[in-house]
Coordinates of all heavy atoms in Angstrom, one line a residue:
M300 N 0.8 -1.2 0.0 CA 0.0 0.0 0.0 C 0.9 1.2 0.0 O 0.4 2.3 -0.2 CB -0.9 0.0 1.2 CG -2.1 0.8 1.1 SD -3.1 0.1 -0.2 CE -4.6 0.9 0.1
E301 N 2.1 1.1 0.2 CA 3.0 2.2 0.3 C 3.2 2.9 -1.1 O 3.4 4.1 -1.1 CB 4.4 1.6 0.7 CG 5.4 2.7 1.1 CD 6.6 2.1 1.7 OE1 6.5 1.3 2.6 OE2 7.7 2.4 1.1
N302 N 3.0 2.2 -2.1 CA 3.2 2.8 -3.5 C 1.9 3.3 -4.2 O 1.9 3.5 -5.4 CB 3.9 1.7 -4.5 CG 5.3 1.5 -4.0 OD1 6.0 2.3 -3.4 ND2 5.7 0.2 -4.3
F303 N 0.9 3.3 -3.4 CA -0.4 3.7 -3.9 C -0.4 5.2 -4.3 O 0.1 6.1 -3.5 CB -1.5 3.5 -2.8 CG -2.9 3.9 -3.3 CD1 -3.6 3.1 -4.2 CD2 -3.5 5.1 -2.9 CE1 -4.8 3.4 -4.6 CE2 -4.7 5.4 -3.4 CZ -5.4 4.6 -4.2
S304 N -0.9 5.5 -5.5 CA -0.9 6.9 -5.9 C -2.3 7.3 -6.4 O -2.8 6.6 -7.3 CB 0.1 7.1 -7.1 OG -0.1 8.3 -7.7
W305 N -2.9 8.3 -5.9 CA -4.2 8.8 -6.3 C -4.3 9.2 -7.7 O -5.2 8.9 -8.5 CB -4.7 9.8 -5.4 CG -5.4 9.3 -4.1 CD1 -4.7 9.4 -2.9 CD2 -6.6 8.7 -3.9 NE1 -5.5 8.9 -1.9 CE2 -6.7 8.3 -2.6 CE3 -7.6 8.3 -4.7 CZ2 -7.8 7.7 -2.0 CZ3 -8.7 7.7 -4.2 CH2 -8.8 7.4 -2.8
K306 N -3.2 9.9 -8.1 CA -3.0 10.3 -9.5 C -3.1 9.2 -10.5 O -3.8 9.2 -11.5 CB -1.8 11.2 -9.7 CG -1.6 11.8 -11.1 CD -0.4 12.6 -11.2 CE -0.3 13.1 -12.6 NZ 1.0 13.8 -12.8
K307 N -2.4 8.1 -10.2 CA -2.3 6.9 -11.1 C -3.7 6.3 -11.1 O -4.2 5.8 -12.1 CB -1.2 6.0 -10.6 CG -1.0 4.8 -11.5 CD -0.4 5.3 -12.8 CE -0.1 4.1 -13.7 NZ 0.2 4.4 -15.0
Y308 N -4.3 6.2 -9.9 CA -5.6 5.5 -9.8 C -6.7 6.3 -10.6 O -7.5 5.7 -11.4 CB -6.0 5.5 -8.3 CG -7.4 4.9 -8.1 CD1 -7.6 3.5 -8.2 CD2 -8.5 5.7 -7.7 CE1 -8.8 2.9 -8.1 CE2 -9.7 5.1 -7.5 CZ -9.9 3.7 -7.7 OH -11.1 3.1 -7.5
I309 N -6.7 7.7 -10.5 CA -7.6 8.5 -11.3 C -7.3 8.4 -12.8 O -8.3 8.3 -13.6 CB -7.5 9.9 -10.9 CG1 -8.1 10.0 -9.4 CG2 -8.3 10.9 -11.7 CD1 -8.0 11.3 -8.7
E310 N -6.0 8.3 -13.2 CA -5.7 8.1 -14.6 C -6.2 6.8 -15.2 O -6.7 6.7 -16.3 CB -4.2 8.2 -14.8 CG -3.6 9.6 -14.7 CD -2.1 9.6 -14.8 OE1 -1.5 8.6 -14.9 OE2 -1.6 10.7 -14.7
I311 N -6.1 5.8 -14.4 CA -6.6 4.4 -14.8 C -8.1 4.4 -14.9 O -8.7 4.0 -15.9 CB -6.1 3.3 -13.8 CG1 -4.6 3.1 -13.9 CG2 -6.8 2.0 -14.1 CD1 -4.0 2.2 -12.9
L312 N -8.8 5.1 -13.9 CA -10.3 5.2 -14.0 C -10.7 6.0 -15.2 O -11.7 5.5 -15.9 CB -10.8 5.9 -12.7 CG -11.1 5.0 -11.5 CD1 -11.5 5.9 -10.3 CD2 -12.1 3.9 -11.8
W313 N -10.0 7.1 -15.5 CA -10.4 7.9 -16.6 C -10.2 7.1 -17.9 O -10.9 7.2 -18.9 CB -9.5 9.2 -16.6 CG -9.8 10.1 -17.8 CD1 -9.0 10.3 -18.9 CD2 -11.1 10.8 -18.1 NE1 -9.6 11.1 -19.8 CE2 -10.8 11.5 -19.3 CE3 -12.2 10.9 -17.4 CZ2 -11.8 12.2 -19.9 CZ3 -13.2 11.8 -18.0 CH2 -13.0 12.4 -19.2
H314 N -9.1 6.3 -18.0 CA -8.8 5.6 -19.2 C -9.8 4.5 -19.5 O -10.2 4.2 -20.6 CB -7.4 5.0 -19.2 CG -6.9 4.3 -20.4 ND1 -7.1 2.9 -20.5 CD2 -6.4 4.7 -21.6 CE1 -6.6 2.5 -21.7 NE2 -6.3 3.6 -22.3
D315 N -10.2 3.8 -18.4 CA -11.1 2.7 -18.5 C -12.5 3.0 -18.5 O -13.3 2.3 -19.1 CB -10.8 1.7 -17.4 CG -9.5 1.0 -17.4 OD1 -8.8 1.0 -18.5 OD2 -9.0 0.5 -16.4
H316 N -12.9 4.1 -18.0 CA -14.3 4.5 -17.8 C -14.6 6.0 -18.2 O -15.4 6.6 -17.6 CB -14.8 4.2 -16.4 CG -14.6 2.9 -15.9 ND1 -15.3 1.8 -16.3 CD2 -13.7 2.4 -15.0 CE1 -14.8 0.7 -15.7 NE2 -13.9 1.1 -14.9
R317 N -14.0 6.4 -19.3 CA -14.2 7.8 -19.7 C -15.7 8.1 -20.0 O -16.1 9.2 -19.6 CB -13.3 8.0 -21.0 CG -13.3 9.5 -21.4 CD -12.4 9.7 -22.5 NE -11.0 9.2 -22.2 CZ -9.9 9.4 -22.8 NH1 -10.0 10.1 -23.9 NH2 -8.8 9.0 -22.4
G318 N -16.3 7.3 -20.7 CA -17.7 7.6 -21.1 C -18.6 7.6 -19.9 O -19.5 8.5 -19.8
C319 N -18.5 6.7 -19.0 CA -19.3 6.7 -17.7 C -19.0 8.0 -16.9 O -20.0 8.6 -16.4 CB -19.0 5.5 -16.9 SG -19.5 4.0 -17.6
I320 N -17.8 8.4 -16.8 CA -17.4 9.6 -16.0 C -18.0 10.8 -16.6 O -18.6 11.6 -16.0 CB -15.9 9.6 -15.8 CG1 -15.5 8.5 -14.9 CG2 -15.5 11.0 -15.2 CD1 -14.0 8.4 -14.8
T321 N -17.8 10.9 -18.0 CA -18.3 12.1 -18.7 C -19.9 12.2 -18.6 O -20.4 13.2 -18.4 CB -17.9 12.1 -20.1 OG1 -16.4 11.9 -20.1 CG2 -18.3 13.3 -20.9
G322 N -20.5 11.0 -18.8 CA -22.0 11.0 -18.8 C -22.5 11.3 -17.4 O -23.5 12.0 -17.3
F323 N -21.9 10.8 -16.4 CA -22.3 11.0 -15.0 C -22.1 12.5 -14.7 O -23.0 13.2 -14.2 CB -21.5 10.2 -14.0 CG -21.8 10.6 -12.6 CD1 -23.0 10.1 -11.9 CD2 -21.0 11.4 -11.9 CE1 -23.2 10.5 -10.6 CE2 -21.2 11.8 -10.6 CZ -22.3 11.3 -9.9
S324 N -21.0 13.1 -15.1 CA -20.7 14.5 -14.8 C -21.7 15.4 -15.5 O -22.2 16.3 -14.9 CB -19.3 14.9 -15.2 OG -18.4 14.1 -14.5
A325 N -22.0 15.1 -16.8 CA -22.9 15.9 -17.5 C -24.3 15.8 -16.9 O -25.0 16.9 -16.8 CB -22.9 15.5 -19.0
G326 N -24.8 14.6 -16.7 CA -26.1 14.5 -16.0 C -26.2 15.2 -14.7 O -27.2 15.8 -14.4
F327 N -25.2 15.0 -13.9 CA -25.2 15.7 -12.6 C -25.3 17.3 -12.7 O -26.0 17.9 -12.0 CB -23.9 15.3 -11.8 CG -23.9 15.9 -10.4 CD1 -24.7 15.4 -9.4 CD2 -23.1 17.0 -10.1 CE1 -24.7 15.9 -8.1 CE2 -23.0 17.6 -8.9 CZ -23.8 17.0 -7.8
I328 N -24.4 17.8 -13.6 CA -24.4 19.2 -13.8 C -25.8 19.8 -14.4 O -26.3 20.7 -13.9 CB -23.3 19.7 -14.7 CG1 -22.0 19.5 -14.0 CG2 -23.4 21.1 -15.1 CD1 -20.7 19.6 -14.8
I329 N -26.3 19.0 -15.3 CA -27.6 19.4 -15.9 C -28.7 19.3 -14.9 O -29.6 20.2 -14.7 CB -27.9 18.5 -17.1 CG1 -27.0 18.9 -18.3 CG2 -29.4 18.8 -17.6 CD1 -27.0 18.0 -19.5
S330 N -28.8 18.2 -14.1 CA -29.8 18.1 -13.1 C -29.7 19.2 -12.0 O -30.7 19.7 -11.6 CB -29.8 16.7 -12.5 OG -28.6 16.5 -11.8
L331 N -28.5 19.5 -11.6 CA -28.3 20.5 -10.6 C -28.7 21.9 -11.2 O -29.3 22.7 -10.5 CB -26.8 20.5 -10.2 CG -26.4 21.3 -9.0 CD1 -27.1 20.8 -7.7 CD2 -24.9 21.3 -8.7
S332 N -28.4 22.1 -12.4 CA -28.8 23.4 -13.1 C -30.3 23.5 -13.2 O -30.9 24.6 -12.9 CB -28.2 23.4 -14.5 OG -26.8 23.5 -14.5
I333 N -30.9 22.4 -13.4 CA -32.5 22.5 -13.5 C -33.0 22.7 -12.1 O -34.0 23.5 -12.0 CB -33.0 21.1 -14.1 CG1 -32.7 21.0 -15.5 CG2 -34.5 21.0 -13.8 CD1 -33.0 19.7 -16.2
L334 N -32.4 22.1 -11.1 CA -33.0 22.4 -9.7 C -32.7 23.8 -9.2 O -33.5 24.5 -8.6 CB -32.3 21.4 -8.7 CG -32.7 20.0 -8.8 CD1 -31.9 19.2 -7.8 CD2 -34.1 19.9 -8.4
V335 N -31.5 24.4 -9.7 CA -31.1 25.7 -9.2 C -31.8 26.8 -10.0 O -32.4 27.8 -9.5 CB -29.6 25.9 -9.2 CG1 -29.2 27.3 -8.9 CG2 -29.0 25.0 -8.2
F336 N -31.7 26.7 -11.4 CA -32.2 27.8 -12.3 C -33.5 27.5 -12.9 O -34.2 28.5 -13.4 CB -31.2 28.0 -13.4 CG -29.8 28.2 -12.9 CD1 -28.7 27.3 -13.1 CD2 -29.5 29.4 -12.2 CE1 -27.5 27.6 -12.6 CE2 -28.2 29.7 -11.7 CZ -27.2 28.8 -11.9
G337 N -34.0 26.3 -13.0 CA -35.3 26.0 -13.6 C -35.1 25.3 -14.9 O -34.0 25.4 -15.6
F338 N -36.1 24.7 -15.4 CA -36.0 23.9 -16.6 C -35.7 24.7 -17.9 O -34.8 24.4 -18.6 CB -37.3 23.0 -16.8 CG -37.3 22.2 -18.0 CD1 -36.6 21.1 -18.1 CD2 -38.0 22.6 -19.1 CE1 -36.6 20.3 -19.3 CE2 -38.1 21.8 -20.3 CZ -37.3 20.6 -20.3
F339 N -36.5 25.7 -18.1 CA -36.4 26.4 -19.3 C -35.1 27.3 -19.4 O -34.5 27.4 -20.5 CB -37.7 27.3 -19.6 CG -38.9 26.5 -19.8 CD1 -39.9 26.4 -18.9 CD2 -39.0 25.9 -21.0 CE1 -41.0 25.6 -19.1 CE2 -40.2 25.1 -21.3 CZ -41.1 24.9 -20.3
K340 N -34.7 27.9 -18.3 CA -33.4 28.5 -18.3 C -32.2 27.6 -18.7 O -31.3 27.9 -19.4 CB -33.1 29.3 -17.0 CG -34.1 30.4 -16.8 CD -33.8 31.1 -15.5 CE -34.8 32.3 -15.2 NZ -34.6 32.9 -14.0
T341 N -32.3 26.4 -18.1 CA -31.3 25.4 -18.3 C -31.3 25.0 -19.9 O -30.2 24.9 -20.5 CB -31.5 24.2 -17.4 OG1 -31.4 24.6 -16.1 CG2 -30.4 23.1 -17.7
I342 N -32.5 24.8 -20.4 CA -32.6 24.4 -21.8 C -32.1 25.5 -22.7 O -31.4 25.3 -23.7 CB -34.1 24.1 -22.2 CG1 -34.5 22.8 -21.4 CG2 -34.2 23.9 -23.7 CD1 -33.7 21.5 -21.8
F343 N -32.3 26.8 -22.3 CA -31.9 27.9 -23.1 C -30.3 27.9 -23.1 O -29.7 28.1 -24.2 CB -32.4 29.2 -22.4 CG -31.9 30.5 -23.0 CD1 -32.5 30.9 -24.1 CD2 -30.9 31.2 -22.4 CE1 -32.1 32.1 -24.8 CE2 -30.5 32.4 -23.0 CZ -31.1 32.9 -24.2
V344 N -29.8 27.7 -21.9 CA -28.2 27.7 -21.9 C -27.7 26.6 -22.7 O -26.7 26.7 -23.4 CB -27.8 27.7 -20.4 CG1 -26.3 27.4 -20.3 CG2 -28.1 29.0 -19.7
L345 N -28.3 25.4 -22.6 CA -27.8 24.2 -23.3 C -27.9 24.4 -24.8 O -27.1 23.9 -25.6 CB -28.5 22.9 -22.9 CG -28.2 22.4 -21.5 CD1 -29.1 21.3 -21.1 CD2 -26.8 22.0 -21.4
F346 N -29.0 25.0 -25.2 CA -29.3 25.2 -26.7 C -28.1 26.1 -27.2 O -27.5 25.8 -28.3 CB -30.6 25.9 -26.9 CG -30.9 26.3 -28.4 CD1 -31.1 25.3 -29.3 CD2 -30.7 27.6 -28.7 CE1 -31.3 25.7 -30.6 CE2 -30.9 28.0 -30.0 CZ -31.3 27.0 -31.0
F347 N -27.9 27.2 -26.6 CA -26.8 28.2 -27.1 C -25.4 27.6 -26.9 O -24.6 27.9 -27.7 CB -27.0 29.5 -26.5 CG -28.2 30.3 -27.2 CD1 -29.4 30.4 -26.6 CD2 -28.0 30.8 -28.4 CE1 -30.5 31.1 -27.2 CE2 -29.0 31.5 -29.1 CZ -30.3 31.6 -28.5
A348 N -25.2 26.8 -25.9 CA -23.9 26.1 -25.8 C -23.8 25.2 -27.0 O -22.6 25.1 -27.6 CB -23.9 25.3 -24.5
G349 N -24.8 24.5 -27.3 CA -24.8 23.6 -28.6 C -24.5 24.4 -29.8 O -23.8 23.9 -30.7
V350 N -25.2 25.5 -30.0 CA -25.0 26.3 -31.2 C -23.5 26.8 -31.2 O -22.9 26.8 -32.3 CB -26.0 27.6 -31.1 CG1 -25.5 28.6 -32.2 CG2 -27.4 27.1 -31.4
G351 N -23.0 27.3 -30.0 CA -21.6 27.6 -30.0 C -20.6 26.5 -30.3 O -19.6 26.7 -31.0
L352 N -20.9 25.3 -29.8 CA -20.2 24.2 -30.2 C -20.2 23.9 -31.6 O -19.1 23.5 -32.2 CB -20.7 22.9 -29.3 CG -19.9 21.6 -29.5 CD1 -18.5 21.7 -29.0 CD2 -20.6 20.5 -28.9
F353 N -21.4 23.9 -32.3 CA -21.5 23.7 -33.7 C -20.7 24.7 -34.5 O -19.9 24.3 -35.4 CB -23.0 23.8 -34.1 CG -23.2 23.7 -35.6 CD1 -23.2 22.4 -36.1 CD2 -23.6 24.7 -36.3 CE1 -23.4 22.3 -37.5 CE2 -23.8 24.7 -37.7 CZ -23.7 23.4 -38.2
I354 N -20.8 25.9 -34.1 CA -20.1 27.0 -34.9 C -18.6 26.9 -34.7 O -17.8 26.9 -35.6 CB -20.5 28.4 -34.5 CG1 -22.0 28.6 -35.0 CG2 -19.6 29.5 -35.0 CD1 -22.6 29.8 -34.5
G355 N -18.1 26.6 -33.4 CA -16.8 26.3 -33.2 C -16.2 25.2 -33.9 O -15.0 25.2 -34.4
N356 N -16.9 24.1 -34.0 CA -16.5 22.9 -34.7 C -16.3 23.3 -36.2 O -15.4 22.8 -36.9 CB -17.5 21.8 -34.5 CG -17.0 20.5 -35.1 OD1 -15.8 20.3 -35.3 ND2 -17.9 19.6 -35.4
K357 N -17.3 24.0 -36.8 CA -17.1 24.4 -38.2 C -15.9 25.3 -38.4 O -15.2 25.2 -39.4 CB -18.4 25.2 -38.7 CG -19.6 24.2 -38.7 CD -19.5 23.1 -39.6 CE -20.7 22.2 -39.7 NZ -20.5 21.0 -40.5
I358 N -15.7 26.2 -37.5 CA -14.5 27.1 -37.6 C -13.2 26.2 -37.5 O -12.2 26.4 -38.3 CB -14.5 28.2 -36.6 CG1 -15.6 29.2 -36.9 CG2 -13.1 28.9 -36.5 CD1 -15.9 30.2 -35.8
D359 N -13.2 25.3 -36.6 CA -12.0 24.4 -36.5 C -11.7 23.6 -37.7 O -10.6 23.3 -38.1 CB -12.1 23.5 -35.3 CG -12.0 24.2 -33.9 OD1 -11.5 25.3 -34.0 OD2 -12.3 23.6 -32.9
N360 N -12.8 23.2 -38.4 CA -12.7 22.4 -39.6 C -12.5 23.2 -40.9 O -12.5 22.7 -42.0 CB -13.9 21.4 -39.8 CG -13.9 20.4 -38.7 OD1 -12.9 20.0 -38.2 ND2 -15.1 19.9 -38.4
D361 N -12.4 24.6 -40.7 CA -12.2 25.5 -41.8 C -13.4 25.4 -42.8 O -13.1 25.6 -44.0 CB -10.9 25.3 -42.5 CG -9.7 25.7 -41.7 OD1 -9.9 26.6 -40.8 OD2 -8.6 25.1 -41.8
D362 N -14.6 25.1 -42.3 CA -15.8 25.1 -43.2 C -16.2 26.6 -43.5 O -15.9 27.5 -42.7 CB -16.9 24.3 -42.5 CG -16.6 22.9 -42.4 OD1 -15.8 22.4 -43.1 OD2 -17.3 22.2 -41.6
D363 N -16.9 26.7 -44.6 CA -17.4 28.1 -45.0 C -18.7 28.3 -44.3 O -19.7 27.7 -44.4 CB -17.6 28.1 -46.5 CG -18.0 29.5 -47.0 OD1 -17.7 30.5 -46.2 OD2 -18.4 29.6 -48.1
L364 N -18.7 29.3 -43.3 CA -19.8 29.6 -42.4 C -20.9 30.3 -43.3 O -22.1 30.1 -42.9 CB -19.4 30.5 -41.3 CG -18.6 29.8 -40.2 CD1 -18.3 30.7 -39.1 CD2 -19.4 28.6 -39.6
S365 N -20.6 31.0 -44.3 CA -21.6 31.7 -45.1 C -22.5 30.6 -45.8 O -23.7 30.9 -45.9 CB -21.0 32.6 -46.1 OG -20.2 31.9 -47.0
E366 N -21.9 29.6 -46.3 CA -22.8 28.5 -47.0 C -23.7 27.9 -45.9 O -24.9 27.6 -46.2 CB -21.9 27.4 -47.5 CG -21.2 27.8 -48.9 CD -20.4 26.6 -49.4 OE1 -20.8 25.4 -49.0 OE2 -19.5 26.8 -50.2
I367 N -23.2 27.6 -44.7 CA -24.0 27.0 -43.7 C -25.1 27.9 -43.3 O -26.3 27.6 -43.1 CB -23.2 26.6 -42.4 CG1 -22.1 25.5 -42.8 CG2 -24.0 26.2 -41.3 CD1 -21.0 25.4 -41.9
A368 N -24.8 29.2 -43.1 CA -25.8 30.3 -42.7 C -26.9 30.3 -43.8 O -28.1 30.4 -43.6 CB -25.2 31.6 -42.5
E369 N -26.5 30.3 -45.1 CA -27.4 30.4 -46.2 C -28.3 29.2 -46.3 O -29.5 29.3 -46.4 CB -26.6 30.5 -47.5 CG -27.4 30.9 -48.7 CD -26.6 31.1 -49.9 OE1 -25.6 31.8 -49.9 OE2 -27.0 30.5 -51.0
T370 N -27.8 28.0 -45.9 CA -28.6 26.8 -45.9 C -29.7 26.8 -44.8 O -30.8 26.5 -45.0 CB -27.7 25.6 -45.7 OG1 -26.7 25.5 -46.7 CG2 -28.5 24.2 -45.7
I371 N -29.2 27.3 -43.6 CA -30.1 27.4 -42.5 C -31.2 28.5 -42.8 O -32.4 28.3 -42.5 CB -29.4 27.8 -41.2 CG1 -28.5 26.6 -40.8 CG2 -30.3 28.2 -40.1 CD1 -27.5 26.9 -39.7
L372 N -30.9 29.6 -43.4 CA -31.8 30.6 -43.7 C -32.9 30.2 -44.7 O -34.0 30.5 -44.7 CB -31.2 31.9 -44.1 CG -30.4 32.7 -43.0 CD1 -29.6 33.8 -43.6 CD2 -31.4 33.1 -41.9
D373 N -32.3 29.4 -45.7 CA -33.3 28.8 -46.8 C -34.3 27.9 -46.1 O -35.4 27.9 -46.4 CB -32.5 28.1 -47.8 CG -31.8 29.0 -48.8 OD1 -32.1 30.2 -48.8 OD2 -30.8 28.6 -49.5
Y374 N -33.8 27.1 -45.1 CA -34.7 26.1 -44.5 C -35.7 26.9 -43.6 O -36.9 26.5 -43.6 CB -33.8 25.2 -43.6 CG -34.7 24.2 -42.8 CD1 -35.3 23.1 -43.4 CD2 -34.9 24.4 -41.4 CE1 -36.0 22.3 -42.6 CE2 -35.7 23.5 -40.7 CZ -36.3 22.5 -41.3 OH -37.0 21.6 -40.6
I375 N -35.3 27.9 -42.9 CA -36.2 28.7 -42.1 C -37.3 29.4 -43.0 O -38.4 29.5 -42.7 CB -35.5 29.8 -41.3 CG1 -34.7 29.1 -40.2 CG2 -36.4 30.8 -40.7 CD1 -33.7 30.0 -39.4
Q376 N -36.8 29.9 -44.2 CA -37.7 30.5 -45.1 C -38.8 29.6 -45.6 O -39.9 29.9 -45.9 CB -37.0 31.1 -46.3 CG -37.9 31.9 -47.2 CD -37.0 32.6 -48.3 OE1 -35.9 32.3 -48.5 NE2 -37.6 33.6 -49.0
K377 N -38.5 28.3 -45.8 CA -39.4 27.3 -46.2 C -40.5 27.1 -45.1 O -41.6 26.7 -45.5 CB -38.7 26.0 -46.6 CG -38.0 26.1 -47.9 CD -37.2 24.8 -48.2 CE -36.3 24.9 -49.4 NZ -35.5 23.7 -49.6
L378 N -40.1 27.3 -43.9 CA -41.1 27.1 -42.8 C -42.1 28.2 -42.7 O -43.2 28.0 -42.1 CB -40.3 26.9 -41.5 CG -39.4 25.7 -41.3 CD1 -38.7 25.7 -40.0 CD2 -40.3 24.4 -41.4
I379 N -41.7 29.4 -43.1 CA -42.6 30.5 -43.1 C -43.7 30.5 -44.1 O -43.4 30.1 -45.3 CB -41.8 31.8 -43.2 CG1 -40.7 32.0 -42.2 CG2 -42.7 33.1 -43.3 CD1 -39.7 33.2 -42.4
P380 N -45.0 30.7 -43.7 CA -46.0 30.6 -44.7 C -45.8 31.7 -45.8 O -45.3 32.7 -45.6 CB -47.3 31.0 -43.9 CG -46.9 30.8 -42.4 CD -45.4 31.0 -42.3
P381 N -46.3 31.3 -47.1 CA -46.0 32.1 -48.2 C -46.5 33.6 -48.1 O -46.0 34.6 -48.6 CB -46.7 31.5 -49.3 CG -46.9 30.1 -48.9 CD -47.0 30.1 -47.4
I382 N -47.6 33.8 -47.3 CA -48.2 35.2 -47.1 C -47.2 36.1 -46.4 O -47.2 37.3 -46.6 CB -49.5 35.1 -46.4 CG1 -50.3 36.3 -46.6 CG2 -49.4 34.7 -45.0 CD1 -51.7 36.3 -46.1
F383 N -46.3 35.6 -45.6 CA -45.4 36.4 -44.9 C -44.1 36.5 -45.5 O -43.2 37.3 -45.1 CB -45.2 35.8 -43.5 CG -46.4 35.9 -42.6 CD1 -47.0 34.7 -42.2 CD2 -47.0 37.1 -42.2 CE1 -48.2 34.7 -41.5 CE2 -48.2 37.1 -41.5 CZ -48.8 35.9 -41.1
R384 N -43.8 35.9 -46.7 CA -42.5 35.9 -47.4 C -42.5 37.2 -48.2 O -43.5 37.8 -48.6 CB -42.3 34.8 -48.3 CG -42.1 33.5 -47.5 CD -41.9 32.4 -48.5 NE -42.1 31.1 -47.8 CZ -42.3 29.9 -48.4 NH1 -42.2 29.9 -49.8 NH2 -42.5 28.8 -47.8
R385 N -41.3 37.7 -48.4 CA -41.1 38.8 -49.3 C -41.1 38.4 -50.7 O -40.8 37.4 -51.2 CB -39.8 39.5 -49.1 CG -39.7 40.2 -47.8 CD -38.3 40.8 -47.7 NE -38.0 41.3 -46.3 CZ -37.0 42.0 -46.0 NH1 -36.2 42.3 -47.0 NH2 -36.8 42.3 -44.8

């Protein structure tokens, strides 16, 4: 027991159970956020965090953001009834 190292133990746990640790942590933080701030405020923050993650991923991959924005705006325009379109 003399050679026991918490750092080594945590590294082994992280290597062997990365998905479980990440899922548990995310679930715990989301549930705590819902209890403290409320459901809709938490959903609002998660939505915009997802949007930021999406945009950041596109920037990291050197994708053209103007094409993506144009595609999204075309899709939104199809959802709008014809009477409200320009």
Side-chain angles (χ1 to χ4, degrees):
M300 201 65 163
E301 191 173 306
N302 294 330
F303 182 77
S304 168
W305 280 104
K306 183 179 178 183
K307 186 69 175 168
Y308 180 71
I309 291 171
E310 286 175 359
I311 291 171
L312 275 178
W313 178 252
H314 182 266
D315 293 344
H316 303 289
R317 184 176 303 193
C319 291
I320 293 170
T321 305
F323 173 81
S324 300
F327 182 77
I328 290 170
I329 291 171
S330 64
L331 192 61
S332 297
I333 289 173
L334 288 174
V335 172
F336 303 115
F338 179 75
F339 291 107
K340 290 180 182 177
T341 302
I342 294 300
F343 179 80
V344 169
L345 289 175
F346 174 76
F347 282 102
V350 169
L352 180 65
F353 175 77
I354 292 171
N356 188 25
K357 295 298 179 183
I358 290 171
D359 286 345
N360 292 333
D361 292 329
D362 291 342
D363 188 15
L364 290 179
S365 62
E366 282 184 23
I367 295 167
E369 193 173 312
T370 304
I371 292 171
L372 291 175
D373 286 342
Y374 178 73
I375 291 172
Q376 187 175 10
K377 289 178 185 176
L378 294 176
I379 298 172
I382 194 168
F383 296 113
R384 293 184 197 162
R385 290 186 194 184

